[in-house]
């Protein structure tokens, strides 16, 4: 006997069958209501009429539901149907580790190819923007992969980024190029002291243009190299232009950079330029360039590495934070009437750099042995031959004084350290 379920409350026995002589017959019932119900059976309802289903996906307040749907990839077919497929085990493990990357003890010895994917996954999940965990996660990558995370960093005119993300910037290791131009650091800034750390001993190009530096800042920056032969000993390019507080005494501290190939001291407070040129040539072999060098046009130093998008995000966040509120129409009309411009229209520029660019004479030096830091060799050979001819015409007395002056720095190599140098060493 078979029967069907109905949503009616009355008891319905359903159709009745009988077997007679090997054949199955349905009993004819006299009730019209039952016959009509047999002709039009109502479907069985699993849920009541007012029941509705809500698809709970990508809800930020429901973390448990998000973790369940995170294991699947949802796509639409050509017919418009929703189809899902399970993610690979590698992507699931990669997502789990990127969510908890700040709890990892160390990534040293981990394969670089997988580490790059792990860094991209953590960046996509915005792990590096979290207040406490972001710095710890970034330090795990920098201590294990160094220059792969960031090999070159350009923070030109980004003094707000330096003030907001100083600890993150100090976590970068094995940088080869660092541009801190127009950041107004000063002699006592923490980042200037960090430049002498062993983590940045790989820096070969350093731009410190227009940073309010003086002789004290240059002395602090060169103290580890002069005394302990460590710090910025691999420096080949240095830009100290537009720092008017640097005098002739501060230039003398630069003689410890033996590998220096290019130097820019334009816009500094030098008094005796001729003697400074002579000392730079005799001590570290740098010759004054008659033509502006292409190494100081700030086009070679760019932010490169895994974390280049993170640095750009820092710049966007700081720019939006400082962006002024939109002025109303009456206020804007009043500003136009009085000839005033809004702060957003005035671009931020280095005033000393602009005045210096208009000047014709630049104090840029290069080393003759390096072909990258100067132009054709024939011009410099002609200049050197002219200088040799002029030197032959000098009197014999001047040659003797030059010999005495050249013998003095050789004797000064064995002079005891000053008290200020010892104080700097004790601070390290």
């Amino acid at each position: 006997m078979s029967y069907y379920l109905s949503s009616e409350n009355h008891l319905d026995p359903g159709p009745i069958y009988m077997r007679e002589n090997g054949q199955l017959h349905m009993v004819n019932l006299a009730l019209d209501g039952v016959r009509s119900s047999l002709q039009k059976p109502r479907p069985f309802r699993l849920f009541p009429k007012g029941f509705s289903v809500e698809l709970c996906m990508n809800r930020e307040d429901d973390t448990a539901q998000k973790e369940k749907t995170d294991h699947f990839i949802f796509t639409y077919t050509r017919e418009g149907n929703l189809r899902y497929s399970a993610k690979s085990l590698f992507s699931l493990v990669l997502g789990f580790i990127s969510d908890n990357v700040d709890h990892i003890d160390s990534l040293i010895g981990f394969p670089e190819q997988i580490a790059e994917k792990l860094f991209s996954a953590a960046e996509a999940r915005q792990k590096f923007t979290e207040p406490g965990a972001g710095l710890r996660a970034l330090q795990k990558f920098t201590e294990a992969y160094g220059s792969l995370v960031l090999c070159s960093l350009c923070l030109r005119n980004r003094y707000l980024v330096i003030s907001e993300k100083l600890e993150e910037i100090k976590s970068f290791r094995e940088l080869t190029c660092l541009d801190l131009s127009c950041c107004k650091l000063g002699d006592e800034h923490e980042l200037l002291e960090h430049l002498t750390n062993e983590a940045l001993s790989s820096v070969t190009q350093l731009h410190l243009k227009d940073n309010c530096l003086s002789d004290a800042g240059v002395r602090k920056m060169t103290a580890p190299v002069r005394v302990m032969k460590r710090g910025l000993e691999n420096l080949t390019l240095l830009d100290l232009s537009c720092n008017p507080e640097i005098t002739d005494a501060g230039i003398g501290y630069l003689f410890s950079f033996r590998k220096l190939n290019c130097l820019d001291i334009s816009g500094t407070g030098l008094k005796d330029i001729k003697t400074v040129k002579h000392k730079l040539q005799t001590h570290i072999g740098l010759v004054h360039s008659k033509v502006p060098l292409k190494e100081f046009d700030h086009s070679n130093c760019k932010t490169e590495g895994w974390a280049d998008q993170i640095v750009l995000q820092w710049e966007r966040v700081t720019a939006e934070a400082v962006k002024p509120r939109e002025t109303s129409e009456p206020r804007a009309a009043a500003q136009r009437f009085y000839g005033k411009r809004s702060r957003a229209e005035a671009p931020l520029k280095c005033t000393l750099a602009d005045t210096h660019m208009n000047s014709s004479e630049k104090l840029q030096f290069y080393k003759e042995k390096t072909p990258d830091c100067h132009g054709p060799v024939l011009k410099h050979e002609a200049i050197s031959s002219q200088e040799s001819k002029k030197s032959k015409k000098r009197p014999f007395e001047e040659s003797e004084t030059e010999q005495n002056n050249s013998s003095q720095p050789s004797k000064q190599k064995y002079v005891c350290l000053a008290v200020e140098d010892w104080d700097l060493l004790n601070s390290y």
Side-chain angles (χ1 to χ4, degrees):
M1 181 181 292
S2 66
Y3 61 93
Y4 75 98
L5 299 175
S6 178
S7 61
E8 299 294 336
N9 294 328
H10 63 84
L11 296 175
D12 189 3
I16 301 173
Y17 295 91
M18 292 182 62
R19 185 179 294 275
E20 184 179 0
N21 297 328
Q23 294 182 356
L24 190 65
H25 300 280
M26 185 177 65
V27 178
N28 189 9
L29 300 177
L31 297 175
D32 295 337
V34 175
R35 187 179 297 147
S36 62
S37 64
L38 291 175
Q39 292 176 357
K40 298 179 180 179
R42 295 185 179 182
F44 170 70
R45 287 185 177 275
L46 185 61
F47 301 102
K49 241 179 189 180
F51 182 81
S52 63
V53 179
E54 181 183 2
L55 187 61
C56 301
M57 289 175 52
N58 297 330
R59 291 180 58 182
E60 297 179 357
D61 55 345
D62 194 357
T63 56
Q65 195 72 19
K66 188 176 181 180
E67 290 179 356
K68 291 181 180 179
T69 57
D70 195 25
H71 297 169
F72 301 97
I73 302 174
F74 294 91
T75 55
Y76 284 94
T77 59
R78 294 181 179 178
E79 292 80 11
N81 300 325
L82 183 64
R83 190 179 73 180
Y84 68 92
S85 58
K87 292 183 179 180
S88 62
L89 182 61
F90 176 78
S91 60
L92 293 178
V93 174
L94 196 68
F96 177 78
I97 298 176
S98 62
D99 285 334
N100 303 276
V101 68
D102 55 314
H103 299 291
I104 298 176
D105 292 335
S106 178
L107 288 172
I108 298 176
F110 206 65
E112 298 175 357
Q113 294 82 1
I114 301 178
E116 185 177 2
K117 295 181 179 180
L118 180 61
F119 189 91
S120 301
E123 182 182 358
R125 295 169 184 263
Q126 297 182 355
K127 292 296 295 183
F128 300 110
T129 58
E130 297 180 3
L135 177 59
R136 293 195 300 268
L138 190 61
Q139 288 175 349
K140 301 298 180 184
F141 283 97
T142 53
E143 70 183 3
Y145 303 102
S147 60
L148 292 177
V149 179
L150 212 63
C151 63
S152 178
L153 179 59
C154 180
L155 295 175
R156 189 185 319 120
N157 204 12
R158 300 292 187 270
Y159 48 88
L160 292 177
V161 178
I162 294 176
S163 61
E164 293 292 332
K165 301 292 181 180
L166 180 60
E167 295 299 326
E168 285 81 355
I169 294 171
K170 290 170 62 177
S171 65
F172 293 123
R173 297 167 174 263
E174 300 180 10
L175 293 173
T176 57
C177 182
L178 182 59
D179 192 349
L180 299 174
S181 302
C182 306
C183 289
K184 312 295 182 182
L185 296 180
D187 297 332
E188 303 298 329
H189 199 275
E190 189 176 351
L191 188 57
L192 187 66
E193 183 179 353
H194 180 68
L195 292 177
T196 60
N197 198 349
E198 290 185 359
L200 295 180
S201 61
S202 60
V203 173
T204 57
Q205 299 181 14
L206 181 60
H207 299 268
L208 294 174
K209 179 180 182 179
D210 191 14
N211 270 289
C212 304
L213 298 178
S214 64
D215 295 340
V218 178
R219 179 173 57 85
K220 181 185 295 186
M221 185 177 62
T222 58
V225 184
R226 289 186 287 111
V227 181
M228 297 180 292
K229 304 299 180 183
R230 51 185 287 187
L232 297 172
E233 57 182 354
N234 297 317
L235 200 63
T236 58
L237 184 143
L238 180 60
D239 186 1
L240 292 175
S241 59
C242 300
N243 290 291
E245 298 296 326
I246 298 178
T247 61
D248 302 7
I251 301 299
Y253 296 121
L254 302 178
F255 298 156
S256 57
F257 295 140
R258 296 295 179 182
K259 298 182 181 179
L260 200 62
N261 294 329
C262 298
L263 176 65
D264 190 359
I265 52 175
S266 307
T268 54
L270 300 181
K271 297 181 180 179
D272 195 352
I273 299 178
K274 187 177 293 184
T275 57
V276 169
K277 290 180 181 179
H278 178 70
K279 287 181 179 180
L280 286 174
Q281 185 174 4
T282 54
H283 285 79
I284 50 180
L286 293 180
V287 183
H288 179 244
S289 176
K290 304 295 183 182
V291 197
L293 300 177
K294 62 180 181 180
E295 281 77 10
F296 297 105
D297 58 357
H298 299 276
S299 61
N300 297 326
C301 188
K302 299 178 181 179
T303 303
E304 297 178 354
W306 296 350
D308 54 352
Q309 296 299 322
I310 296 177
V311 178
L312 292 177
Q313 188 178 6
W314 293 346
E315 296 178 2
R316 286 195 297 267
V317 170
T318 52
E320 291 176 358
V322 189
K323 188 181 295 183
R325 293 177 295 179
E326 296 181 358
T327 57
S328 58
E329 293 183 0
R331 184 176 179 84
Q335 287 180 352
R336 287 194 296 269
F337 177 78
Y338 288 106
K340 294 182 179 180
R341 294 185 303 171
S342 60
R343 293 182 180 179
E345 296 176 359
L348 296 175
K349 294 183 179 180
C350 303
T351 55
L352 290 175
D354 294 339
T355 56
H356 170 63
M357 288 301 173
N358 296 330
S359 61
S360 58
E361 186 178 359
K362 294 185 178 181
L363 295 177
Q364 295 180 353
F365 298 84
Y366 66 93
K367 189 171 288 186
E368 289 182 335
K369 294 181 181 179
T370 55
D372 295 333
C373 294
H374 55 84
V377 183
L378 296 175
K379 292 183 179 180
H380 298 293
E381 288 180 355
I383 294 170
S384 60
S385 62
Q386 291 178 2
E387 291 179 354
S388 62
K389 290 179 181 178
K390 290 180 181 179
S391 62
K392 291 180 181 179
K393 295 179 181 179
R394 292 179 181 175
F396 181 74
E397 295 179 356
E398 291 183 0
S399 63
E400 287 182 352
T401 54
E402 288 178 359
Q403 290 177 0
N404 295 329
N405 293 330
S406 61
S407 62
Q408 286 180 0
S410 62
K411 294 180 181 179
Q412 291 178 357
K413 294 180 181 178
Y414 304 99
V415 177
C416 297
L417 296 175
V419 180
E420 297 175 350
D421 292 336
W422 284 113
D423 293 338
L424 277 175
L425 292 176
N426 293 328
S427 64
Y428 290 109

